[in-house]
Amino acid sequence: MKNFVVKTIANAGALAVAVWLLDKITLTGGSTGRKAGTLILVALVFGLVNLLVKPIVQVLTFPLFILTLGLFTLVVNALMLLLTSWLAGKLDLSFHVEGFWTAVLGGLIISVVSWALNAFLPDED
């Protein structure tokens, strides 16, 4: 359970960095507390998308991973971020990613920041 909470907090932090760095990834809302709560909920959605959908997409696009020597991972991460944005809209969360190339850059930022945060945060269950 502790591992799940740590990964969710790391995802929320990574999403916050992407929102801060990229103008076309928006998080609207009232107070800072409300934005933090929205980030946690979006991080949960993002985690579920990565847990349930991403492995299926990776299996289906495995030849593209081989052909591009793994660079297709950027496209898959972008698609997962766009799916998260769409789901956030359906769940009435104020998180939006505008455009594919913004999602590619956002996915790259989220991957790097999440990796760095997970390296420093505790990992035991």
Side-chain angles (χ1 to χ4, degrees):
M1 182 66 172
K2 187 176 180 182
N3 192 23
F4 173 75
V5 172
V6 168
K7 288 191 181 295
T8 302
I9 291 171
N11 275 340
L15 286 164
V17 170
V19 167
W20 179 61
L21 289 175
L22 301 174
D23 292 336
K24 292 185 179 183
I25 297 180
T26 57
L27 178 69
T28 57
S31 66
T32 304
R34 185 161 172 84
K35 286 182 181 180
T38 300
L39 268 176
I40 295 293
L41 291 174
V42 170
L44 286 170
V45 171
F46 187 64
L48 284 174
V49 165
N50 282 329
L51 178 71
L52 300 174
V53 178
K54 190 174 183 177
I56 296 167
V57 173
Q58 286 177 330
V59 167
L60 293 175
T61 60
F62 186 71
L64 291 173
F65 280 96
I66 302 272
L67 185 65
T68 63
L69 301 175
L71 287 177
F72 195 72
T73 304
L74 295 173
V75 174
V76 171
N77 287 344
L79 293 174
M80 296 306 107
L81 188 58
L82 285 171
L83 180 59
T84 300
S85 174
W86 179 78
L87 287 171
K90 295 294 180 188
L91 295 172
D92 201 28
L93 298 171
S94 58
F95 177 79
H96 181 68
V97 178
E98 184 181 326
F100 175 75
W101 293 109
T102 302
V104 170
L105 190 54
L108 184 61
I109 291 169
I110 290 168
S111 295
V112 169
V113 172
S114 182
W115 170 81
L117 288 175
N118 281 315
F120 291 107
L121 291 172
D123 197 15
E124 66 274 351
D125 274 332

